[in-house]
Amino acid sequence: MGLRWPARPVGKPVREYLLTLCITAAVTYLLTGPVRKFAIVAGAMPEIRARDVHREPTPRLGGIAMFFGLCAGLLVADHLTNLSEVFEKSNEPRALLSGAALIWLIGVLDDKFEIDALIKLGGQMIAAGVMVMQGLTILWLPIPSVGSVALTQWQGTLLTVALVVITINAVNFVDGLDGLASGMVCIAAAAFFLYAYRIWYSYGIEAAAPATLFSAILMGMCLGFLPHNMHPARIFMGDSGSMLIGLVLAAGAISITGQIDPDALKLFAGSEKAAVHQTVPVYIPLLLPLTIIAVPAADLISAIVRRTWRGQSPFAADRGHLHHRLLEIGHSHSRAVWLMYFWSALIAFGSLAYSVNSASMWIVLGVVFLSAIGLVLLLLPRFTPRAPMWAQHIVPPRYRRRRRAVVEESVEVEQRTAVAVGVAGVNGATALSARTPVPERHKAESSR
């Protein structure tokens, strides 16, 4: 059975969560600079690989600062009036810290020595097993039209380990552009925090408090690291950071999905139609952990299918990820990152809004409308409309007609001049080649 906290009036420790978040972010931010210097001295600055999109060697090991931010957040929360009860009545924070320390250590070794992918996978499973042994596991599942289904110890362990491994690798796979993984996980953590806090405060279920705390700390870790990681990044989080935030995200999902008894929500009342809408908060934990990593999970699945189809290992690196394809379409580095942010926020907060009021048609229409806007923004580089002559001084340079016309006209004039004066051979070819690649260079720059 799961945790059953004593019934008492639930307070509003929003300020304590905010303080924990700020302390976590501040420690992570302040430590990232020294960690960057340490990574350079330690040689954790690998050569640029074929699949990389950055042009200069950049130090890794940013996960060191994020881990100490996690430790600082847990330490502060343990000394606050309301949040300290989470540590007194639950062993989940200690389970999270144990699993996080193990996965962080594996990530640090990988950032420095490039360990084998199967070894990392084994380490991820061991870290998940450590958390299971300390009580952070899925005990039951709310199944629609069936109710709460209690899981055996082995079933809960296997499901917990699978969820941890999938989440860790989904976040790790999406960590390919500056600020992408930390920003997407921060968005997911914000949505999950609002959901967990609502379950805790609105329904009086204090067993949701650990997941709420984990989400607040995860937001602080990502927000503190983002200023150093936005394009152009001065440091990468590396596997020590991506696997760490993936594990914290999975821990929150496991805590609120498999530890809270759905019957405690007491929503099974009224007509059958009303019960269907009222029981959405019971079933949304099954979906929300998936929606908050929907984009990374889609990237993970497509990468596995793509690589196995080619006869490669599922762990073989390539340039076929979603962010790589956005760059190939023609999006800039920053715009590709913001597009991924947009879709992550739409899926996560759309699911959150549906869990609050599943009967509202406005929520569905809003999600559909925003999805249409997202598709237009996604395909915008495919269409480069040119502004009319009267708007040439208002629109950005890429939409002006005059600049392209002047370039093409100058190339044509030089070609005619070269032919007229009888320039031929190597000199003529060199003179023409110095001008003709201009549009190609412009296209190449816009496709990074």
Side-chain angles (χ1 to χ4, degrees):
M1 298 299 292
L3 300 173
R4 295 190 179 275
W5 298 53
R8 68 174 182 82
V10 182
K12 296 183 180 181
V14 177
R15 288 180 295 181
E16 295 188 0
Y17 280 118
L18 184 60
L19 176 61
T20 304
L21 188 155
C22 292
I23 293 295
T24 305
V27 171
T28 304
Y29 176 80
L30 294 175
L31 288 180
T32 302
V35 167
R36 179 180 182 274
K37 296 180 180 179
F38 169 77
I40 295 175
V41 173
M45 194 164 59
E47 298 293 333
I48 299 177
R49 300 161 294 186
R51 69 178 186 270
D52 292 333
V53 297
H54 58 281
R55 299 181 179 181
E56 298 180 359
T58 305
R60 295 192 285 190
L61 291 177
I64 295 179
M66 303 179 81
F67 177 75
F68 283 106
L70 169 67
C71 295
L74 291 175
L75 182 62
V76 169
D78 190 22
H79 289 80
L80 297 178
T81 303
N82 292 288
L83 297 186
S84 61
E85 297 185 3
V86 177
F87 296 82
E88 296 172 1
K89 301 174 182 178
S90 172
N91 198 45
E92 293 182 14
R94 285 174 284 275
L96 170 66
L97 184 60
S98 301
L102 180 58
I103 203 69
W104 170 74
L105 180 61
I106 296 173
V108 169
L109 294 176
D110 181 65
D111 289 341
K112 181 64 176 71
F113 302 107
E114 295 281 348
I115 63 178
D116 187 73
L118 292 179
I119 297 178
K120 287 194 295 183
L121 180 62
Q124 295 167 7
M125 298 176 67
I126 294 175
V130 168
M131 293 195 301
V132 171
M133 292 175 59
Q134 300 187 58
L136 186 55
T137 182
I138 298 177
L139 301 176
W140 48 54
L141 286 178
I143 306 298
S145 73
V146 176
S148 301
V149 177
L151 302 179
T152 64
Q153 182 178 0
W154 281 106
Q155 290 174 339
T157 300
L158 291 177
L159 189 58
T160 301
V161 171
L163 182 58
V164 170
V165 172
I166 291 174
T167 307
I168 288 176
N169 286 281
V171 175
N172 192 21
F173 269 56
V174 82
D175 184 25
L177 296 179
D178 298 348
L180 182 57
S182 51
M184 291 181 64
V185 172
C186 184
I187 293 172
F192 206 83
F193 173 83
L194 294 176
Y195 172 76
Y197 186 80
R198 177 175 178 265
I199 293 296
W200 174 37
Y201 177 70
S202 298
Y203 297 98
I205 302 178
E206 296 189 12
T212 313
L213 175 62
F214 297 164
S215 301
I217 293 177
L218 183 56
M219 277 192 290
M221 295 166 60
C222 296
L223 290 175
F225 185 72
L226 263 176
H228 299 273
N229 191 232
M230 292 300 290
H231 183 69
R234 297 188 294 274
I235 185 174
F236 295 150
M237 68 172 66
D239 282 3
S240 59
S242 62
M243 293 198 300
L244 175 63
I245 61 178
L247 182 135
V248 178
L249 184 62
I254 292 168
S255 176
I256 203 168
T257 301
Q259 295 285 330
I260 296 178
D261 186 0
D263 295 333
L265 296 177
K266 298 179 181 180
L267 299 173
F268 304 95
S271 63
E272 181 179 355
K273 181 177 180 181
V276 171
H277 294 302
Q278 289 177 336
T279 54
V280 170
V282 178
Y283 303 131
I284 203 66
L286 293 174
L287 304 177
L288 196 58
L290 300 179
T291 58
I292 58 182
I293 60 167
V295 176
D299 193 14
L300 172 64
I301 295 173
S302 64
I304 293 176
V305 173
R306 180 178 64 253
R307 293 166 184 173
T308 54
W309 182 265
R310 296 175 180 174
Q312 300 175 342
S313 169
F315 303 101
D318 58 18
R319 288 182 59 90
H321 293 291
L322 295 178
H323 48 271
H324 290 136
R325 296 184 181 182
L326 288 175
L327 297 179
E328 293 176 358
I329 291 175
H331 291 286
S332 64
H333 191 292
S334 300
R335 190 163 56 187
V337 171
W338 283 105
L339 275 174
M340 298 284 278
Y341 286 175
F342 174 84
W343 283 105
S344 298
L346 179 60
I347 296 173
F349 286 97
S351 302
L352 177 65
Y354 185 76
S355 70
V356 174
N357 188 1
S358 60
S360 176
M361 183 59 62
W362 288 107
I363 295 177
V364 177
L365 294 178
V367 171
V368 172
F369 177 73
L370 292 176
S371 299
I373 294 178
L375 288 175
V376 172
L377 295 175
L378 184 65
L379 300 176
L380 191 59
R382 296 292 188 183
F383 310 96
T384 54
R386 300 299 167 187
M389 296 300 297
W390 58 267
Q392 293 297 308
H393 300 288
I394 303 176
V395 298
R398 62 175 300 178
Y399 300 111
R400 298 176 185 173
R401 297 175 181 270
R402 188 176 302 170
R403 183 177 180 181
R404 171 172 288 188
V406 169
V407 172
E408 294 177 351
E409 183 180 356
S410 62
V411 172
E412 185 178 357
V413 169
E414 291 183 5
Q415 291 177 348
R416 288 200 304 266
T417 304
V419 174
V421 299
V423 178
V426 178
N427 292 333
T430 305
L432 293 177
S433 62
R435 294 290 182 178
T436 51
V438 171
E440 297 179 2
R441 262 202 322 271
H442 178 73
K443 181 178 179 181
E445 291 175 357
S446 64
S447 62
R448 293 193 185 99

